[in-house]
Amino acid sequence: MLNLQNETIKQYKSWLQAKGYSLFTANHAKSTIFDYITGVLWVARWEHKTIEEVCDSISEILPRYTIGDCCVKGRMRSRSVRCGLRKLSEYLIETQTA
């Protein structure tokens, strides 16, 4: 099961749920939220960063994982990686405090 103990991941998961994404399908299979969070966690591993460091450098990381430089790393889950990072970027923009 996905480790949701990290506070940033918990908040990202809640934000995704509020946007209408689901954690499980009707058949109880892992769904969109699981895929997006897993994709972001893979990127953190590939980049040798914590989730917080990925968030801090999302503007540098995101372009590398959209079709281009790093798509080979995520080829088995490239859609989850790209979409997870894109949604993480949206989450960070929406929840940014002034």
Side-chain angles (χ1 to χ4, degrees), residues 26-37:
N27 296 331
H28 303 289
K30 296 169 185 163
S31 191
T32 307
I33 292 174
F34 178 86
D35 287 343
Y36 287 5
I37 291 173

Side-chain angles (χ1 to χ4, degrees), residues 1-79:
M1 184 67 186
L2 187 59
N3 181 357
L4 297 174
Q5 297 307 309
N6 178 285
E7 192 60 34
T8 302
I9 294 295
K10 285 181 188 178
Q11 292 170 357
Y12 179 47
K13 175 186 167 274
S14 295
W15 181 84
L16 287 168
Q17 285 178 307
K19 294 292 182 184
Y21 294 95
S22 61
L23 187 57
F24 295 100
T25 66
N27 296 331
H28 303 289
K30 296 169 185 163
S31 191
T32 307
I33 292 174
F34 178 86
D35 287 343
Y36 287 5
I37 291 173
T38 302
V40 169
L41 292 172
W42 273 108
V43 168
R45 181 181 293 169
W46 295 328
E47 296 288 327
H48 306 288
K49 295 181 181 288
T50 65
I51 293 301
E52 289 75 17
E53 290 170 330
V54 169
C55 291
D56 290 342
S57 56
I58 193 74
S59 61
E60 298 164 17
I61 293 172
L62 181 60
R64 292 198 306 255
Y65 287 88
T66 54
I67 310 281
D69 296 349
C70 296
C71 65
V72 172
K73 286 184 178 177
R75 73 175 181 263
M76 297 303 287
R77 304 181 53 79
S78 60
R79 182 182 174 281

